[in-house]
Amino acid sequence: MDTVWKEMYQAAKSVQNERKISDYIDAGGVAAAILSSSGKIYTGVCVDTCCTLGICAERNAIFNMLTNGEDKISKVLCVMGNGLTGAPCGACRELMVQLMPKDYKNIEIMLDYEKGEIITLGELTPKWWIK
């Protein structure tokens, strides 16, 4: 496995810190790391609310990347509360497709860190509505 995946996993784990923010908000149950095309790693955590105001860790990491002036994703890694990795949800996939409509199919996603299983966003979303 490429060492950057290990760096991304450690970066995500370092911000995860699951915690209760208030009676209505929990944060950090899921953490994500995004590798931009420049090679910088951006992180984010999920923010779960009692209504629809929450956000996934992957989108939070993407917004962190955008805030810092970058807009091209190379790799995505998401760490669940149990330490396992998994694929982004549909809303996160949609954001990545809209962010990179011509190149989204090349974004690599770590499905299973323990097994080193990697898939592209194009494989996860082969017939997306954006052509």
Side-chain angles (χ1 to χ4, degrees):
M1 182 187 323
D2 191 349
T3 58
V4 73
W5 288 112
K6 293 176 184 175
E7 292 173 28
M8 291 173 67
Y9 185 85
Q10 289 306 316
K13 288 295 287 177
S14 74
V15 297
Q16 195 161 24
N17 187 25
E18 186 171 4
R19 61 209 176 273
K20 186 171 191 65
I21 304 300
S22 75
D23 288 342
Y24 308 102
I25 298 175
D26 295 320
V30 176
I34 302 289
L35 181 71
S36 70
S37 60
S38 75
K40 184 163 177 166
I41 296 172
Y42 295 93
T43 58
V45 298
C46 69
V47 179
D48 295 316
T49 68
C50 66
C51 62
T52 60
L53 296 175
I55 189 166
C56 296
E58 299 93 327
R59 282 183 283 151
N60 204 348
I62 291 168
F63 295 151
N64 184 5
M65 178 189 73
L66 292 172
T67 298
N68 283 280
E70 296 200 60
D71 59 12
K72 300 284 186 275
I73 301 167
S74 176
K75 300 178 187 309
V76 177
L77 181 142
C78 178
V79 181
M80 311 303 174
N82 61 6
L84 300 177
T85 56
C89 74
C92 293
R93 294 177 200 184
E94 180 66 31
L95 177 63
M96 289 186 276
V97 170
Q98 290 188 31
L99 180 65
M100 297 174 50
K102 295 190 181 355
D103 300 319
Y104 76 89
K105 290 183 178 181
N106 300 319
I107 297 172
E108 294 181 338
I109 297 170
M110 178 59 71
L111 277 185
D112 189 324
Y113 182 77
E114 291 178 358
K115 295 179 182 175
E117 183 181 358
I118 300 164
I119 192 168
T120 65
L121 187 56
E123 292 171 297
L124 282 175
T125 58
K127 297 187 186 276
W128 219 247
W129 68 274
I130 292 178
K131 303 274 184 213

